[in-house]
Amino acid sequence: MNTAPQSPPLWKRAVDFWLAHEPVRHARWEIVMLRFVLALLFWDIHASWVPLWREPSRAVMQMVSPSSGTDLKYQSLPHPNGFASFVDLSFLANDAVEQPLRMATAASLVLFVLGVPAAFTLAIPALFGIGVTTVINSQGAIAHNAQGLQLVLLCMWLAGLWSWWCKSRGRPLPWEFTPAQLELDWARQGLMAAYVTSAVTKIVNSDGNWLSDARFFPLHMAKNNDMEFYDTLNAAALKMDWLPQVLMDHPGLCIFFFGLALPLELLAFLGLYNRRIALLFGLGLIGFHETVSLLTHLAFIFNKLLLLILFVSPQWWIVQGCKKLTHRNGAKPA
């Protein structure tokens, strides 16, 4: 009698391949690289160097010596938002307060890159960064372009605090992570939580009609194009004026292209299971943002970069590919 174990069915192997929980354990080299890139992004909150990324020399100068144009100019909070509803944060616009905090933020981020635990190095960047963006969002127009970035920063600091607390109690970290690995794991969770929250908000605010309401998206496109033109008088902002009319004439296209983003955001938490599915969700969400950027001039640059380094992780796939290639070549007979 043949007692050889039978292999699981194809569907079971496929599910295990994509949905097997394999905690992402970053090697030391990857942790150093990710900390460096993340620190640069966190610093942009105060230096605004990212808009200059096409001009590397100017971008570097802006990082090293932020111009006075990045200072907070608002002396009041006419429309308090978030924490500003409970605490008057206008004092952050005072140079006597803002400048020392900015210097402390820069020093903290340098120490963070050098490997000092996030519990101590990300406290000032997280709290000061949230304060700065809260002041900006309390002027009457709310922007959410840095929401994901701020959430990642906050989660990494909280992960650092949790690691420190566990160490003081002699308790191991989940999945046998190192503190630095846990910080990056919480960073990914925070970013995906932002997408799931976005999807749930869309469903609730549209009374479940988000897919059918997607046909109205061309109206927002036309509005954004006009706003871009009248703000900058750049004729290039009107080069896509023909597209809103095409989409309004074919509402099914809107439902297909923009409706697909809803399940992608709603199920974004699946991207936390392993590097393979993280790659798929990372590429899918970047593709979604690129489409929106093309049509509405909304960059979402922070989201794209965070998805790239934390989920797509080209650095890891390249190293793995090189290792396999080296192993294969080394296995060949002389």
Side-chain angles (χ1 to χ4, degrees):
M1 180 179 294
N2 185 8
T3 59
Q6 296 182 350
S7 61
L10 179 61
W11 69 266
K12 180 68 165 56
R13 281 178 284 159
V15 170
D16 289 342
F17 178 80
W18 289 110
L19 295 182
H21 184 214
E22 301 170 3
V24 176
R25 304 185 190 282
H26 296 287
R28 180 61 184 169
W29 68 266
E30 195 176 9
I31 291 172
V32 173
M33 189 213 74
L34 290 174
R35 279 192 165 207
F36 176 73
V37 175
L38 287 169
L40 290 180
L41 295 180
F42 297 154
W43 181 235
D44 180 81
I45 297 170
H46 310 285
S48 297
W49 66 268
V50 169
L52 303 172
W53 69 272
R54 290 186 177 88
E55 305 173 68
S57 59
R58 288 188 61 196
V60 171
M61 288 300 300
Q62 186 70 6
M63 289 181 206
V64 176
S65 180
S67 65
S68 59
T70 61
D71 292 345
L72 278 177
K73 304 297 184 184
Y74 309 112
Q75 302 298 324
S76 63
L77 309 177
H79 302 278
N81 175 257
F83 289 116
S85 301
F86 310 100
V87 180
D88 184 1
L89 298 176
S90 59
F91 70 92
L92 292 175
N94 185 335
D95 285 347
V97 175
E98 183 184 6
Q99 294 304 325
L101 283 176
R102 182 179 291 188
M103 293 174 62
T105 296
S108 297
L109 292 176
V110 170
L111 294 174
F112 171 69
V113 173
L114 293 177
V116 179
F120 309 108
T121 55
L122 293 187
I124 293 175
L127 298 177
F128 182 44
I130 291 173
V132 167
T133 50
T134 299
V135 169
I136 295 173
N137 279 346
S138 297
Q139 303 306 310
I142 297 176
H144 61 281
N145 59 309
Q147 178 192 35
L149 181 65
Q150 293 280 21
L151 190 55
V152 164
L153 173 54
L154 179 63
C155 286
M156 293 188 72
W157 175 50
L158 293 176
L161 289 176
W162 176 252
S163 297
W164 176 78
W165 186 87
C166 287
K167 182 178 180 180
S168 67
R169 297 294 189 278
R171 297 176 55 177
L173 295 179
W175 312 111
E176 298 182 353
F177 279 146
T178 65
Q181 289 171 340
L182 184 71
E183 292 160 16
L184 292 168
D185 183 70
W186 282 32
R188 284 187 292 274
Q189 292 186 53
L191 185 59
M192 289 299 99
Y195 283 105
V196 175
T197 302
S198 172
V200 172
T201 301
K202 290 172 182 175
I203 294 172
V204 172
N205 288 350
S206 66
D207 295 325
N209 297 318
W210 174 256
L211 291 180
S212 60
D213 288 350
R215 67 184 186 275
F216 300 121
F217 188 78
L219 298 177
H220 296 286
M221 290 174 53
K223 179 189 71 175
N224 285 335
N225 290 343
D226 289 344
M227 288 174 59
E228 177 76 9
F229 173 72
Y230 289 116
D231 282 346
T232 65
L233 296 182
N234 182 3
L238 301 178
K239 66 180 180 180
M240 301 292 288
D241 259 7
W242 56 272
L243 188 56
Q245 187 60 52
V246 171
L247 293 176
M248 282 188 280
D249 292 339
H250 302 85
L253 291 176
C254 288
I255 295 175
F256 176 76
F257 284 112
F258 301 108
L260 285 178
L262 184 63
L264 195 62
E265 290 184 317
L266 191 62
L267 300 176
F269 62 89
L270 294 176
L272 301 169
Y273 269 62
N274 55 57
R275 286 191 185 262
R276 297 180 295 278
I277 198 167
L279 173 66
L280 291 184
F281 274 88
L283 291 175
L285 289 169
I286 288 174
F288 164 66
H289 283 306
E290 280 295 318
T291 301
V292 173
S293 296
L294 177 65
L295 299 177
T296 66
H297 307 291
L298 299 175
F300 292 103
I301 185 65
F302 296 124
N303 289 62
K304 294 174 190 174
L305 291 173
L306 290 172
L307 288 167
L308 179 66
I309 63 173
L310 294 177
F311 286 86
V312 177
S313 300
Q315 70 283 349
W316 185 84
W317 290 102
I318 291 172
V319 169
Q320 291 302 112
C322 291
K323 286 182 178 179
K324 288 186 178 180
L325 184 61
T326 302
H327 176 75
R328 186 179 303 169
N329 291 338
K332 289 182 178 179

